[in-house]
Amino acid sequence: MVDEENENIGTVEKAIHGYVRAHARRPFTICLSGLAMQLLLTAICFLSGTFTLDTDKPGNVWAVHDAYSTRMNRAVVSAQTNSDPIVGYQEVEAVESSGWSNSDEVKEFHTWMIFYKADDVFTPEALKKICEFELMLCKTGECIASESPEEGRLLVSSVRIFYSPMLQCANSSVRDPFDVEECNLLPQSHIDCYYDWIRTSVSENGVAFPYSGLMAGSLNVSGVNTATMTIMPAFANKSDVMMETLADDLALTSGFGKSMWEGDADDRHVQLGPLRVRFFVEIMADDFDNNLNVDMAFSLVACLLVYLVMWGHTQSYFLASLGMIQIFLSLPISVLVYKNLFMVDHFEFLHILILYVVLGIGADDVFVIVDSWRHVSGEVKVISPGRLPQAEMEKALIPVFKRSATAVFNTSLTTTVAFLSTGISKIMPMRTMGWFAACCIVENFLLMCLFLPSVVIIWHMRLQGKRCCCPAWTLREEATLVHSSEQADGDESNDAKEPAQTRTTLAEKVIHKVYLPFLKSQVGGIRVGASILVVISIATAVHGSIFAMQLTPPSKPEEWMPYRHMMNGFSEFRAETYYSAPYADFASATYTWGVKDLDMSEFNSYHPGDYEEVVEYSQVDLTSAEAQDAVLSFCQAMIEQECTLEACNNAGTGKLLYPSGEKAYTCFLEDFQDWLNTTHGITSKVTGSEFLVKLKEFRNDVTDDLTYGSEVKRANYKKHIGFHSGDLKYFSVEMRTSVNGRSPFILGTPVRDQMYDWLEGKKKSMPSSLNELAVASSLFPRYDMGAELMGGFFTGCLIAMPVAFVVLLVATKNIVISLYSVVAVASIVVSVLGFCKSVMDWDLGTGEAVAGVIVIGYSVDYTLHLSHMYCEASQHGHVTRAARTEFAVRNMGSTVFAGAATTFAAGGIMFVCYIRFFYKMAVLISITIFYSLLFSMGMVNGLLMIAGPQGNFGNLPGLSRKADTSEKLAGEFPGDGQPTKNAGKDDTNLVEEVNDSTSGTSAVKSLSKFDAWYGDHGDDP
């Protein structure tokens, strides 16, 4: 043995060697200590209540609260909501919710919305069925059907139209079924009477007809009503009984992974006699929380599947069990670090997704160190198999630890950076999810270094080579080594054996018998198999790139429930099915003076529901004639504002204003001038303090929104003239725009930006007392969300991809291999995103943005493992690109396949999860694994086999690996400008020549090289 003090190694190397030898000498002590430490930290996490899930945190945690458009929209809404009330005024248009409400009020009523559809819902049989069904529900839920004004909430239904004698042509004997509790089959003549009246009323009065909203939008086109709806307020404490009644009457079933609110077909309806029916009630949202625990339970199934894969690959229940314990315990430990280091207590369903990610990453860490041990210890030739002698075991564990720690550090670094890149996101759940994921990955790396080396030694000493199920724990016999002198004399060449006698795994069989022969196949000197893999990979990347560029932010809300759930697509369903005014789908824009911003100093993004909105106002003065003229001029300019962008559906007018025969804007100052003239006979401008007196009188006097407004744009002076405690704080003008409220981000954003630019120009001409002017719209917060998803994803890529390249460069120390690998990583990312668009037709929503981060982490892992091993092959005497590629595949191929299998097992279980987001993530993780395998085993290995760097070609000066043995064995390569000693031999012959070193006297060289590379650092126990 050579004393460590005499070795020519640095202090860090000495420390590593000492640390590794400690694992080899006292494996049980270190293993049990590590396990106890993990259990202690886990107990602290649970007993302190740190591991808790936030599922009912009030407020909109997904809003981009810091974005200017979102802040201004919230500020204007808050200012309007808190303006002084008007006596006798009743809101017609609902004020928008701020999204930060923290009300915990228990509601007395639940509003049930029931939607029916058929070829014609107004037939005698259909109306009778609707009547019987609603009468049954109304009795059960004690719905409010009386006309008493004290009740305030009334049942609104088409049944009440037809079952009444109010028209002269109607049957006078018909009575309201909610009064007589009876539903008769109506005569066809009676139905025709009301049918004609409804058609005429809708055609002539439009939305002014009180019952128009209950009718299908197709009524005006075909004259046949194919849908109708009912609004049924019922007592909240009767909801459970109503649900039981519905379940019995409609045969709605619920159970494991199934909600009673799921339709029986893709239209999200269920059958009700001759009708199809669908519901919407706020208690449907409880399905999310109720099934979240079920989906969390599936993580246990994922753990079981990963455990089975680990057991199958390692062929040891001991390694699989200890590896799974490490992975499982890393989560609560990471939560402890996450909540105490980052000081964040937000932990929701999105964070649960990280468990599935960590299962794959943690299992990959286990595979790396176990497979490294197999390969390194397998280089030691023995006469009789068994455990390695203590000195050889210590000597073997050093390169195992170095190789494993380096490989796992590199992959963990890139994945951690990818997740940390979400830290710049303004979407709080996305940001915190990235932090938590980074904690988990770092924790698994640390545990791999601190815990697994001793586990591997225990396995080697007592279990390796024994049966994988319930083996005896007796100490294995010590192996008899082939001494260097004996091998040099050729005495033991025929008796040298592998020490472990481990059975070949399924992944190894596939690699050795199928993959490698195909990869190495050649015709006329051309690597046919490798070329085919490269061509397929390039074609896939090009296809993915084309469709990835078509991804846009979502144009509709994210669907969290299963596809057929009645909550999914509800807003679109109602807007597209039922009658509404043509302008109803078009957004409004509000220009406001005096509202400066929100005071966000007390805002906590982790508890948005606790924030009480505080609006910052600027001083406004409208009492001068100059200021009033400026506002009036602004109103005229507003309605003349041009818009020729694609999102502006203005019927060729070229204006931002909605094209309508009715007034599509409201300007309170114009209306105020008309009111002064009409009411007081004042034709000139009122200024000074008298102006504020008259303006307040005008605000209180005109309580009908249609006095100066129209159905297209109502004049709501409570909102537009902002008196707070008697003082004028702000004022607004408003317009109905020609931009559809469901316009996608890519079309709507240019309109918003144009409006901002236009407004900046107008502010320059405003008097100093009116220079605080802003525009707000309910569309803008959605555009902020889209911009954040797009920007966050691409910013994450811009951060993670260069880091991945640098890590690859440092790990391989070769520019050519690094370029091959980073191209493969980029190809994986675009291919996954292209799959989302081309196959699934998804937008770049929350799931896709999360997947983009995960993709970078996964894609780097496999390519980095193979690339790093290709470089290491030269130190093991492999000369040609073919030999080095084969070495990389033989050493890391099974690890890559096993890692892919565990990740697929972990992510694949989410296919059966209830929450649709998890299903989407299952698709994304599975397809990510598929493309990662394709590009790592196809593109990277194919390129390395065809044009991998040989000798020192592509090596970075100063970073090149020491003692490149390829020069010793094969001389210089033609690429270096020197003649080669192996000139004339093809790659295949060279590979065979190197592979022959596993038998005969070459074993002496193998062992001596092993000693030369790693030194004789072991000490006798």
Side-chain angles (χ1 to χ4, degrees):
M1 300 292 174
V2 179
D3 291 336
E4 183 176 84
E5 288 75 15
N6 298 326
E7 296 177 31
N8 187 23
I9 60 174
T11 304
V12 175
E13 286 288 311
K14 291 180 182 179
I16 293 174
H17 293 175
Y19 173 78
V20 173
R21 282 203 307 273
H23 278 271
R25 291 174 179 175
R26 298 177 180 83
F28 278 100
T29 301
I30 295 177
C31 178
L32 292 176
S33 300
L35 189 58
M37 177 194 67
Q38 295 176 63
L39 291 172
L40 176 62
L41 291 174
T42 300
I44 293 174
C45 179
F46 280 101
L47 293 177
S48 63
T50 304
F51 201 100
T52 54
L53 192 67
D54 302 323
T55 57
D56 57 352
K57 183 171 289 187
N60 185 3
V61 297
W62 285 86
V64 189
H65 298 295
D66 293 340
Y68 171 77
S69 298
T70 300
R71 292 200 320 272
M72 286 308 304
N73 192 63
R74 298 277 70 82
V76 170
V77 170
S78 180
Q80 294 175 347
T81 304
N82 297 313
S83 63
D84 292 346
I86 299 176
V87 178
Y89 181 77
Q90 184 176 359
E91 287 277 3
V92 177
E93 293 181 316
V95 177
E96 299 178 58
S97 169
S98 69
W100 289 335
S101 173
N102 58 351
S103 174
D104 295 324
E105 177 186 0
V106 178
K107 293 189 176 181
E108 183 181 0
F109 296 97
H110 283 155
T111 301
W112 291 68
M113 303 180 72
I114 310 171
F115 303 91
Y116 308 92
K117 72 173 185 176
D119 293 338
D120 188 348
V121 294
F122 291 160
T123 63
E125 295 77 13
L127 285 169
K128 184 174 186 294
K129 188 62 181 178
I130 295 173
C131 178
E132 293 171 345
F133 181 68
E134 293 182 356
L135 187 59
M136 173 193 67
L137 275 184
C138 199
K139 287 181 179 179
T140 304
E142 299 181 9
C143 74
I144 303 168
S146 73
E147 296 293 344
S148 172
E150 289 80 25
E151 301 290 356
R153 294 171 177 266
L154 298 174
L155 181 143
V156 180
S157 170
S158 298
V159 167
R160 308 194 75 173
I161 301 176
F162 285 89
Y163 281 83
S164 70
M166 63 178 176
L167 298 183
Q168 290 185 351
C169 60
N171 189 323
S172 58
S173 63
V174 175
R175 292 292 181 267
D176 189 332
F178 297 99
D179 293 334
V180 300
E181 298 186 359
E182 183 180 9
C183 297
N184 298 316
L185 192 68
L186 296 175
Q188 186 63 51
S189 58
H190 176 89
I191 292 176
D192 291 341
C193 167
Y194 279 92
Y195 217 154
D196 291 340
W197 173 67
I198 290 172
R199 291 190 191 98
T200 302
S201 299
V202 171
S203 176
E204 293 179 354
N205 302 312
V207 292
F209 177 54
Y211 301 106
S212 62
L214 305 182
M215 308 302 160
S218 60
L219 179 63
N220 264 343
V221 179
S222 63
V224 177
N225 197 52
T226 57
T228 188
M229 65 177 288
T230 294
I231 301 175
M232 180 184 292
F235 285 96
N237 59 5
K238 297 294 182 180
S239 294
D240 291 342
V241 181
M242 293 180 70
M243 290 171 64
E244 292 175 4
T245 303
L246 280 177
D248 293 339
D249 192 67
L250 298 175
L252 302 179
T253 59
S254 60
F256 185 75
K258 176 74 166 62
S259 168
M260 66 173 288
W261 301 118
E262 293 181 37
D264 57 18
D266 289 348
D267 64 353
R268 295 162 179 159
H269 287 64
V270 294
Q271 201 66 36
L272 175 65
L275 302 154
R276 301 277 293 166
V277 63
R278 174 176 178 170
F279 305 90
F280 184 84
V281 60
E282 55 199 286
I283 56 175
M284 284 181 173
D286 294 342
D287 278 357
F288 186 92
D289 292 338
N290 294 338
N291 286 278
L292 183 58
N293 292 330
V294 177
D295 288 352
M296 289 179 66
F298 277 122
S299 63
L300 299 178
V301 180
C303 291
L304 177 61
L305 292 177
V306 171
Y307 176 78
L308 293 176
V309 176
M310 291 175 67
W311 190 350
H313 182 72
T314 62
Q315 300 177 358
S316 169
Y317 82 94
F318 176 74
L319 289 175
S321 299
L322 270 294
M324 182 54 66
I325 289 174
Q326 171 195 302
I327 297 169
F328 201 75
L329 295 184
S330 69
L331 290 168
I333 297 174
S334 298
V335 172
L336 200 62
V337 175
Y338 161 75
K339 291 195 173 184
N340 289 280
L341 177 63
F342 290 99
M343 302 301 292
V344 175
D345 62 355
H346 183 77
F347 195 80
E348 60 167 42
F349 78 95
L350 188 62
H351 295 63
I352 299 172
L353 170 69
I354 302 306
L355 169 60
Y356 299 94
V357 177
V358 170
L359 281 172
I361 293 175
D364 184 62
D365 295 350
V366 175
F367 294 151
V368 169
I369 191 169
V370 172
D371 289 347
S372 294
W373 173 264
R374 283 175 173 166
H375 296 140
V376 172
S377 64
E379 295 184 17
V380 182
K381 301 305 175 180
V382 299
I383 297 175
S384 61
R387 61 183 172 85
L388 293 177
Q390 184 67 30
E392 295 297 327
M393 188 163 57
E394 293 178 16
K395 186 166 59 176
L397 188 58
I398 291 174
V400 168
F401 181 81
K402 288 181 178 179
R403 175 191 289 183
S404 304
T406 301
V408 175
F409 174 79
N410 291 333
T411 57
S412 298
L413 177 61
T414 54
T415 309
T416 299
V417 170
F419 277 110
L420 285 179
S421 66
T422 64
I424 62 175
S425 175
K426 296 180 181 178
I427 304 174
M428 187 267 288
M430 292 278 290
R431 181 171 68 248
T432 56
M433 180 274 296
W435 291 344
F436 176 62
C439 290
C440 290
I441 294 165
V442 172
E443 181 66 29
N444 271 275
F445 167 71
L446 293 176
L447 290 177
M448 190 281 292
C449 296
L450 298 172
F451 181 60
L452 287 184
S454 58
V455 173
V456 171
I457 292 299
I458 294 173
W459 165 71
H460 169 71
M461 294 175 64
R462 295 180 177 272
L463 301 174
Q464 187 176 7
K466 298 181 181 181
R467 62 185 182 182
C468 61
C469 182
C470 302
W473 266 78
T474 56
L475 194 65
R476 297 169 64 209
E477 293 292 332
E478 186 173 292
T480 303
L481 299 185
V482 179
H483 296 292
S484 300
S485 59
E486 294 174 345
Q487 290 191 45
D489 295 335
D491 295 335
E492 305 292 344
S493 59
N494 295 326
D495 295 327
K497 299 177 182 179
E498 299 289 339
Q501 294 182 338
T502 305
R503 291 183 298 274
T504 304
T505 64
L506 177 61
E508 289 172 335
K509 291 179 180 178
V510 172
I511 288 172
H512 296 165
K513 295 183 178 181
V514 179
Y515 174 73
L516 267 177
F518 179 76
L519 183 67
K520 293 163 54 179
S521 63
Q522 56 181 339
V523 176
I526 299 176
R527 297 285 181 183
V528 177
S531 300
I532 291 174
L533 291 176
V534 171
V535 169
I536 292 174
S537 301
I538 293 174
T540 303
V542 171
H543 173 271
S545 301
I546 293 172
F547 283 95
M549 290 188 293
Q550 300 177 24
L551 277 174
T552 59
S555 57
K556 57 184 180 181
E558 187 88 32
E559 293 183 353
W560 302 102
M561 301 299 190
Y563 180 74
R564 290 184 175 181
H565 199 282
M566 295 178 185
M567 281 191 69
N568 285 343
F570 170 73
S571 299
E572 290 76 15
F573 158 74
R574 187 176 180 186
E576 294 170 1
T577 305
Y578 289 90
Y579 184 83
S580 61
Y583 56 80
D585 290 336
F586 290 83
S588 293
T590 304
Y591 294 91
T592 304
W593 288 262
V595 175
K596 186 176 181 179
D597 207 337
L598 279 180
D599 181 0
M600 305 288 285
S601 59
E602 299 298 323
F603 177 74
N604 185 344
S605 62
Y606 306 110
H607 298 275
D610 296 341
Y611 174 64
E612 294 184 5
E613 295 166 1
V614 179
V615 180
E616 293 181 347
Y617 296 98
S618 61
Q619 189 70 32
V620 291
D621 184 3
L622 197 57
T623 59
S624 66
E626 179 191 14
Q628 294 176 33
D629 287 337
V631 172
L632 291 171
S633 298
F634 182 89
C635 289
Q636 291 302 310
M638 177 183 70
I639 63 178
E640 295 296 327
Q641 188 176 167
E642 295 182 354
C643 182
T644 57
L645 297 170
E646 186 177 351
C648 292
N649 302 305
N650 48 32
T653 63
K655 300 291 192 297
L656 181 63
L657 186 71
Y658 176 78
S660 172
E662 299 182 68
K663 187 179 179 182
Y665 75 99
T666 173
C667 181
F668 75 96
L669 203 53
E670 290 180 353
D671 303 336
F672 174 65
Q673 297 292 347
D674 289 345
W675 175 82
L676 283 175
N677 186 25
T678 304
T679 306
H680 298 285
I682 300 176
T683 57
S684 60
K685 289 184 176 64
V686 178
T687 58
S689 59
E690 181 66 16
F691 170 81
L692 295 177
V693 173
K694 293 299 183 183
L695 185 65
K696 189 178 297 184
E697 181 185 346
F698 164 72
R699 181 176 183 266
N700 294 329
D701 183 53
V702 184
T703 57
D704 186 352
D705 288 353
L706 298 178
T707 301
Y708 293 101
S710 69
E711 291 289 352
V712 177
K713 176 45 62 184
R714 291 174 174 266
N716 187 331
Y717 300 123
K718 177 186 179 299
K719 291 167 54 177
H720 298 158
I721 305 175
F723 281 99
H724 284 229
S725 301
D727 297 327
L728 183 63
K729 290 290 187 179
Y730 76 91
F731 49 89
S732 305
V733 297
E734 197 166 284
M735 65 185 296
R736 177 80 65 179
T737 72
S738 55
V739 180
N740 193 295
R742 296 196 295 275
S743 295
F745 168 88
I746 196 169
L747 297 182
T749 305
V751 179
R752 181 195 64 180
D753 295 342
Q754 177 178 293
M755 293 171 69
Y756 282 159
D757 293 340
W758 178 85
L759 188 62
E760 285 300 316
K762 292 300 175 184
K763 287 168 67 174
K764 296 177 181 178
S765 60
M766 287 287 163
S768 59
S769 61
L770 299 179
N771 58 7
E772 196 65 59
L773 173 60
V775 60
S777 173
S778 59
L779 283 180
F780 294 172
R782 180 158 61 84
Y783 294 158
D784 285 338
M785 171 68 81
E788 188 58 34
L789 288 174
M790 290 282 287
F793 170 73
F794 288 112
T795 302
C797 289
L798 289 175
I799 294 174
M801 290 297 288
V803 170
F805 178 73
V806 171
V807 171
L808 286 163
L809 201 58
V810 173
T812 63
K813 301 176 177 63
N814 187 286
I815 186 67
V816 176
I817 300 174
S818 300
L819 288 174
Y820 288 168
S821 300
V822 81
V823 168
V825 171
S827 299
I828 296 169
V829 174
V830 297
S831 296
V832 171
L833 296 178
F835 177 88
C836 294
K837 187 63 180 179
S838 62
V839 178
M840 307 304 295
D841 195 25
W842 290 341
D843 297 319
L844 185 59
T846 305
E848 293 75 15
V850 173
V853 176
I854 296 174
V855 167
I856 296 174
Y858 280 151
S859 57
V860 173
D861 286 3
Y862 303 154
T863 57
L864 183 55
H865 285 330
L866 294 166
S867 300
H868 179 258
M869 201 54 56
Y870 180 91
C871 295
E872 188 174 313
S874 63
Q875 300 181 31
H876 291 255
H878 297 287
V879 179
T880 65
R881 58 176 62 96
R884 294 170 71 176
T885 303
E886 182 174 354
F887 176 85
V889 173
R890 288 186 182 276
N891 280 268
M892 274 296 174
S894 60
T895 304
V896 168
F897 271 99
T902 53
T903 307
F904 182 81
I909 196 65
M910 288 190 286
F911 278 112
V912 297
C913 285
Y914 179 84
I915 297 174
R916 186 167 173 79
F917 179 81
F918 289 138
Y919 167 82
K920 179 181 285 190
M921 293 312 302
V923 173
L924 290 168
I925 289 177
S926 299
I927 201 65
T928 296
I929 294 305
F930 170 77
Y931 283 124
S932 295
L933 278 177
L934 172 64
F935 286 97
S936 61
M937 302 297 286
M939 174 179 280
V940 173
N941 283 344
L943 288 172
L944 292 176
M945 179 65 77
I946 297 170
Q950 299 183 122
N952 291 322
F953 183 78
N955 287 355
L956 296 180
L959 289 178
S960 301
R961 298 176 180 274
K962 296 179 181 179
D964 190 349
T965 57
S966 60
E967 295 183 7
K968 299 177 181 179
L969 296 179
E972 299 295 336
F973 288 91
D976 294 328
Q978 298 293 335
T980 175
K981 297 179 181 179
N982 294 297
K985 296 185 178 182
D986 61 16
D987 284 352
T988 305
N989 293 332
L990 289 172
V991 172
E992 292 172 353
E993 181 178 313
V994 174
N995 289 341
D996 285 341
S997 65
T998 59
S999 62
T1001 57
S1002 298
V1004 178
K1005 298 177 181 178
S1006 177
L1007 184 60
S1008 63
K1009 288 197 295 286
F1010 179 86
D1011 289 333
W1013 295 323
Y1014 301 115
D1016 188 1
H1017 307 320
D1019 293 330
D1020 291 331

